[in-house]
Amino acid sequence: MSCIFCEIAAGRIPARKLFEDDQVMAFHDVSPQAPTHVLVIPKAHIPDLDAVTAGHGTLLGELLLAARKAAAQTGLYGGYRVVVNRGADGGQSVGHLHLHVLGGRPLAWPPG
Ligand code: AMP
């Protein structure tokens, strides 16, 4: 089954890429919810947070470090938010694990 984020990771669908390495990629969200809205994905297909196992520990660390790097590269010195949506009630619409990095304006809490 095709997965849009797998296609982006493979370079078959274009994206506004910030950076990538062998494990992760960061690119701008096509429908930004804040002045800066970057997605960080593992290149390997992991459907959602519930599919993560203890064996993914190193990868999870890489994803968080990539989120921090994306915030720094986009100049979010005033702060930012990292979000993982999981499942329908969590607002997940793409079935490939991803971190949202949001910033560039004050973000309300709690989120909607
Ligand atoms: P979520 O709702 O948490 O699953 O987040 C999925 C995100 O992917 C949404 O914010 C979408 O705007 C974003 N998105 C979907 N397709 C693309 C794409 N081709 N390029 C960049 N972002 C995308």
Side-chain angles (χ1 to χ4, degrees):
M1 203 193 320
S2 79
C3 163
I4 190 160
F5 286 178
C6 285
E7 294 295 302
I8 288 173
R12 290 189 289 266
I13 288 179
R16 285 182 58 214
K17 187 171 66 181
L18 264 181
F19 58 82
E20 67 179 316
D21 62 23
D22 57 330
Q23 290 201 83
V24 307
M25 178 185 275
F27 54 94
H28 292 275
D29 196 294
V30 76
S31 179
Q33 302 302 308
T36 296
H37 187 171
V38 173
L39 300 174
V40 175
I41 65 167
K43 288 189 169 178
H45 184 76
I46 300 171
D48 60 29
L49 195 57
D50 281 3
V52 167
T53 68
H56 291 117
T58 301
L59 177 61
L60 288 178
E62 294 298 325
L63 289 166
L64 275 180
L65 289 171
R68 187 181 73 181
K69 180 176 171 179
Q73 281 198 5
T74 55
L76 299 180
Y77 305 117
Y80 57 92
R81 183 172 295 164
V82 178
V83 173
V84 177
N85 296 325
R86 196 275 148 190
D89 281 0
Q92 184 177 8
S93 61
V94 175
H96 181 125
L97 180 66
H98 50 283
L99 281 60
H100 298 258
V101 181
L102 298 145
R105 64 170 168 81
L107 298 166
W109 192 263

